Amino acid sequence: MWNYTDKVKEHFFNPKNSGVLDTANAVGEVGSITCGDALRLMLKVDPDTQIIQDAKFQTFGCGSAIASSSALTEMIIGKTVDEALTLTNRDIAEYLGGLPPEKMHCSVMGAEALRAAIANYKGEAWEDDHEEGELVCKCFGIDAAMIERAVTVNGLTSLEEVTHYTKAGGSCQTCHEKIEEVLEEVLAKTGALKPAKKHTPGTVGLDAIKPLEPKAEPAVAPKLTNVQRMQAIMAAIEEMRPQIQRDGGDVELVDIDGKDIYVRLTGACSGCSQSAGTMMGVQMKLVEKLGEFVRVKPASLMPAHAG
């Protein structure tokens, strides 16, 4: 279990300003559901005073992601656009009384969404555009600019810290060497250059990845039988349960009706404002596992069957 502060728990169990802001004139989106975390931040800015009059968010992610998004909206409402731009992920984490190191990327996601929303309001191109040559971590879509900001703002000095704060390098690890190059460039600029570290076979970076043997073109997967399809659905949901349980909730399969998969959310997920995001995450997982489009719906929407 992560050691969460009471403030984090407060904003997770009772998130502020969650939902859609119909009157928004600024929207920032970062992350991706397929990568595990996504945030859509909506702002209503007074064009005359430049004051952020309202803010709402939609988040798919863990409890820390929800809490960070909730805290961010509370922090920026009432501020001018320029004042909001001075906020950093460290401000979000400090507002929450701190976050576990492994969850600091949630505060970074909030700060990035704020920058994206304000850029959208000003009609400017969002810097985090992944131009050719800038994308460092393909697994999580993290570019060099985001890594540089995280290192500079938070005083990061190691690959492990960069992964905690941005998720970059947390999956296949093939980008570790590139991350360290970016890290050392930033440290050199700030005068905090650490001694160069050489990779040794079997540790991290490209040395940890063995060359793959050439693969033949994969054969078309045979169509699953009804039993195999049901087993695949059950297995996919079981894979997701530990992540959902860590945040105090749970999910169970209730019924399968063709393309419609009915599930029941329980615990902290029952009635949670982010339940739609959890449903979408389950749906993405099932689509990936089955290789076909399916719809995940709450059990309460199951049609009444004739007896």
Side-chain angles (χ1 to χ4, degrees), residues 77 104 142 155 215 285:
I77 292 176
M104 282 299 294
I142 308 300
K215 291 184 178 179
K285 184 72 171 179

Side-chain angles (χ1 to χ4, degrees), residues 226-266:
N226 289 336
V227 173
Q228 291 172 331
R229 186 170 181 269
M230 179 181 67
Q231 291 174 335
I233 292 172
M234 294 174 64
I237 291 177
E238 283 300 313
E239 286 182 22
M240 293 201 68
R241 289 186 66 203
Q243 177 182 347
I244 298 174
Q245 288 171 337
R246 280 197 294 270
D247 291 321
D250 205 350
V251 59
E252 61 177 320
L253 176 65
V254 176
D255 196 13
I256 303 172
D257 185 9
K259 298 290 185 182
D260 295 331
I261 313 296
Y262 294 95
V263 302
R264 179 177 292 112
L265 298 179
T266 58

Side-chain angles (χ1 to χ4, degrees), residues 53 61 88 202 206 210 253:
Q53 298 178 323
T88 67
L206 294 176
K210 296 181 179 179
L253 176 65

Side-chain angles (χ1 to χ4, degrees), residues 119-134:
N120 175 252
Y121 171 72
K122 293 183 175 182
E124 300 173 351
W126 168 227
E127 294 179 10
D128 191 15
D129 56 3
H130 303 326
E131 293 180 0
E132 184 176 359
E134 292 186 347

Side-chain angles (χ1 to χ4, degrees), residues 61-80:
C62 63
S64 296
I66 295 171
S68 295
S69 303
S70 173
L72 172 62
T73 59
E74 289 286 275
M75 295 171 71
I76 61 177
I77 292 176
K79 292 184 181 294
T80 65

